[in-house]
Amino acid sequence: MEIIHISAECYPVAKVGGLADVVGALPKYQNKLSHFAKVVVPAYDTKFVRESEFEVTYDAWANYGNNHFQYRILKEKTNKLGFDLYIVHIQGLTDRPNVYGYHDDTERFIAFQIATLDWIVQWEHRPDVIHCHDHHTGLVPFMMTNCIKYQPISSVPTVLTIHNAQYQGQFGWDKLYYLPAFDLWKAGLLGWERDINPLASAIKCAWSVTTVSPSYLSEMMSNARGLESLLRQEHGKCIGILNGIDAEVWNPETDPMLGTNYSIKTFEQGKEANKKALCSVFGLDASKPLFTFIGRLVDEKGADILPDIFYTALQQHSEEINILVLGSGDPWVEGRLNQLKDIFSAQYNAYIGYNEQVSHEIYASADFLLMPSRVEPCGLNQLYALRYGTVPIVRRVGGLRDTVIDIGDNGFGICHDQTSIWDVTHAINRAIEFYNDKKKFKAVRKTMMKIDHSWDRAALNYIELYQKLK
Ligand code: ADP
Ligand code: GLC
């Protein structure tokens, strides 16, 4: 099958979070199953784009309301990612360093979607499926089935994967004219509540909708940032497919970002060596258990309560633990996490920012990884933690519920029910007790490193889904 993934992120081209990891891995695994998966993303001004070689595949003009823009489709020459990568270059719109956060993000992603479909519609053949990811590509299913110029591809099945329904990309009806012509009586397919809502539109118009874990799908029936009733209505075409991880990139035996590589057999020495190196960089004591957090500092991750959790835990266990944070986001949370450095200088540190290398070093060095998420559609951090022998401490929600079993139930993680300071500090107390039971701690780490969360299974689940749509 020829599968076209359209997305705002793809690792290593451009990454903000787990969406990039998924789109950078799933197509590779689909190709291993002898399919032909391709990825289309905007041509940002990122290191990967600057340092890779591209050839121009298509160069054209597209209409955009009363204006038009020139765009170029560029193909990465070497196929080094394990799939054909196409980037869509629109001067002045896509060629910026960041993926999101600009005042004209709506215009940028609409233009990206129009350019992509304008290009695909003039191919001599039709792809087997178009797979869209999140709201940034959510207008594609509507446009393919309703815009007159895309009639030739209206029979190509579309799949929407919801990675995160917290973000829906809403914009006002005054921007409706950006879209290519369609029968106006169909405009209702674009709207939800008072706005044009690309995520809602994709849920209505895609042939099939997937969520990145089964539990997230069930939770969305009652908690989906306003889309609950729509999801209940469209439930018949929705399915939860648990994400995998790229076991080639996330492999402690070969990971080039680690000072010391290690396997299941050598994990104790390997983790210790990495921990020593990391603790010396961050002024921490490698002889104590290392608790960490990696992620976007936003409310859905429970980041707002992290400073209080750390303060409480460090007061209670000042001589017993270390804490290291890697993240960026809410400036208020960033400020409070920085303040803690002055209070607990020998037991706590925070790296405020984004750093892929440090994230790998943390997964390899840490004893525990905290994820007190309020919402977690899948979560990849806990899967990386498991592979690197780091015990996840998670709230029972979404994909965390589907992937982490508590040590009390013969599992390999520590689970709690609420995103609250009390629940998480209680979980930390349990973790310290667990850490001190050296024999059990070692055995559990060994078990969790053996769990196979690679994309093999999920890549096949998606293929089976596409086949049903044909
Ligand atoms: P989300 O996509 O909601 O942010 P996921 O758990 O699916 O959450 O994926 C997060 C990804 O982003 C992981 O690969 C994680 O290691 C990475 N990540 C998050 N914050 C940072 C950071 N500050 N520096 C480096 N990597 C980060
Ligand atoms: C989103 C979710 C996260 C998920 C990721 C990849 O960003 O917040 O839980 O793991 O997408 O699907």
Side-chain angles (χ1 to χ4, degrees):
M1 292 180 103
E2 183 179 7
I3 305 145
I4 313 297
H5 291 275
I6 312 179
S7 169
E9 297 180 37
C10 172
Y11 180 81
V13 189
K15 171 168 168 177
V16 175
L19 168 63
D21 291 358
V22 171
V23 177
L26 170 61
K28 191 162 85 179
Y29 282 76
Q30 291 180 325
N31 288 343
K32 283 187 188 165
L33 296 170
S34 306
H35 295 282
F36 193 22
K38 304 174 175 180
V39 173
V40 188
V41 290
Y44 305 107
D45 181 16
T46 60
K47 187 166 177 278
F48 178 93
V49 172
R50 282 193 302 273
E51 291 176 1
S52 303
E53 272 193 78
F54 292 90
E55 62 199 359
V56 179
T57 300
Y58 191 62
D59 192 341
W61 289 82
N63 289 328
Y64 194 47
N66 299 327
N67 294 314
H68 49 275
F69 60 84
Q70 190 176 11
Y71 67 96
R72 271 205 228 146
I73 310 285
L74 304 153
K75 181 174 180 291
E76 196 274 319
K77 273 186 177 172
T78 63
N79 205 300
K80 60 185 172 188
L81 301 184
F83 49 80
D84 285 354
L85 168 73
Y86 294 90
I87 59 172
V88 180
H89 182 268
I90 308 171
Q91 198 164 3
L93 283 182
T94 60
D95 50 357
R96 303 182 196 170
N98 296 329
V99 176
Y100 317 116
Y102 299 102
H103 72 280
D104 55 353
D105 279 355
T106 298
E107 284 75 6
R108 296 170 69 226
F109 288 110
I110 296 178
F112 164 62
Q113 293 172 85
I114 291 176
T116 304
L117 291 184
D118 272 18
W119 168 53
I120 294 174
V121 79
Q122 55 77 47
W123 291 0
E124 278 168 13
H125 71 285
R126 304 283 163 245
D128 292 293
V129 62
I130 293 205
H131 191 150
C132 308
H133 297 266
D134 273 353
H135 76 80
H136 326 97
T137 56
L139 297 172
V140 165
F142 172 85
M143 291 199 285
M144 280 175 63
T145 37
N146 298 295
C147 291
I148 297 149
K149 71 195 282 198
Y150 302 135
Q151 272 311 302
I153 49 172
S154 61
S155 60
V156 176
T158 50
V159 172
L160 164 74
T161 292
I162 305 178
H163 296 261
N164 198 334
Q166 298 296 105
Y167 309 93
Q168 300 173 5
Q170 299 95 326
F171 57 91
W173 287 97
D174 54 324
K175 294 184 177 171
L176 179 67
Y177 76 100
Y178 285 149
L179 302 189
F182 62 92
D183 286 335
L184 270 182
W185 61 270
K186 293 176 175 166
L189 289 169
L190 290 167
W192 191 250
E193 293 179 341
R194 262 177 267 149
D195 293 314
I196 294 180
N197 182 317
L199 190 69
S201 170
I203 295 170
K204 294 179 201 179
C205 300
W207 291 33
S208 178
V209 175
T210 74
T211 63
V212 288
S213 71
S215 285
Y216 185 49
L217 179 58
S218 352
E219 287 164 11
M220 280 206 294
M221 299 300 141
S222 53
N223 178 17
R225 230 186 182 152
L227 300 182
E228 302 79 9
S229 61
L230 176 59
L231 283 154
R232 285 198 291 268
Q233 196 176 311
E234 301 288 354
H235 190 242
K237 67 176 185 189
C238 298
I239 174 174
I241 299 179
L242 188 68
N243 282 338
I245 61 172
D246 190 332
E248 289 165 9
V249 173
W250 296 94
N251 181 356
E253 269 189 272
T254 52
D255 189 336
M257 297 193 203
L258 304 188
T260 307
N261 290 107
Y262 58 93
S263 66
I264 290 193
K265 285 193 188 131
T266 59
F267 80 92
E268 278 188 301
Q269 305 91 294
K271 281 189 77 79
E272 202 182 314
N274 285 302
K275 186 176 171 183
K276 273 192 183 143
L278 189 75
C279 284
S280 81
V281 171
F282 285 99
L284 301 170
D285 179 350
S287 67
K288 297 175 188 167
L290 177 60
F291 289 78
T292 55
F293 173 91
I294 299 173
R296 296 180 293 115
L297 300 174
V298 295
D299 286 0
E300 66 189 89
K301 300 282 179 193
D304 50 316
I305 62 165
L306 284 178
D308 289 328
I309 291 169
F310 297 152
Y311 184 82
T312 313
L314 286 165
Q315 280 224 319
Q316 283 178 6
H317 306 285
S318 59
E319 295 306 315
E320 285 169 281
I321 60 171
N322 285 309
I323 296 178
L324 179 61
V325 183
L326 168 64
S328 60
D330 184 336
W332 180 80
V333 177
E334 290 183 353
R336 289 203 62 205
L337 289 172
N338 270 332
Q339 277 168 7
L340 289 178
K341 290 186 200 169
D342 299 329
I343 311 175
F344 302 102
S345 56
Q347 302 105 311
Y348 169 89
N349 213 333
Y351 181 121
I352 302 300
Y354 185 92
N355 191 316
E356 194 73 24
Q357 164 99 23
V358 175
S359 78
H360 284 242
E361 288 168 358
I362 294 182
Y363 290 117
S365 310
D367 296 292
F368 299 97
L369 179 88
L370 295 161
M371 295 184 76
S373 308
R374 289 194 176 81
V375 180
E376 196 61 80
C378 176
L380 297 173
N381 296 15
Q382 80 280 14
L383 303 181
Y384 300 146
L386 293 173
R387 188 105 209 271
Y388 283 63
T390 298
V391 178
I393 301 181
V394 306
R395 175 172 173 228
R396 286 189 187 90
V397 67
L400 300 175
R401 187 193 290 279
D402 294 341
T403 52
V404 182
I405 303 172
D406 193 272
I407 45 170
D409 299 320
N410 287 326
F412 39 79
I414 295 178
C415 304
H416 55 93
D417 286 320
Q418 301 301 331
T419 300
S420 71
I421 298 165
W422 195 89
D423 268 45
V424 183
T425 44
H426 178 64
I428 292 176
N429 294 344
R430 286 185 66 206
I432 296 170
E433 208 176 296
F434 177 42
Y435 177 86
N436 289 329
D437 184 347
K438 296 284 176 224
K439 211 168 146 205
K440 186 169 174 197
F441 192 58
K442 179 178 174 187
V444 166
R445 280 179 143 181
K446 216 170 181 170
T447 315
M448 71 197 207
M449 285 181 74
K450 285 188 198 146
I451 303 171
D452 180 7
H453 271 295
S454 84
W455 270 104
D456 294 318
R457 168 201 45 83
L460 191 62
N461 293 157
Y462 279 109
I463 299 292
E464 285 163 357
L465 172 71
Y466 306 150
Q467 273 159 349
K468 279 189 208 142
L469 301 178
K470 284 192 66 129

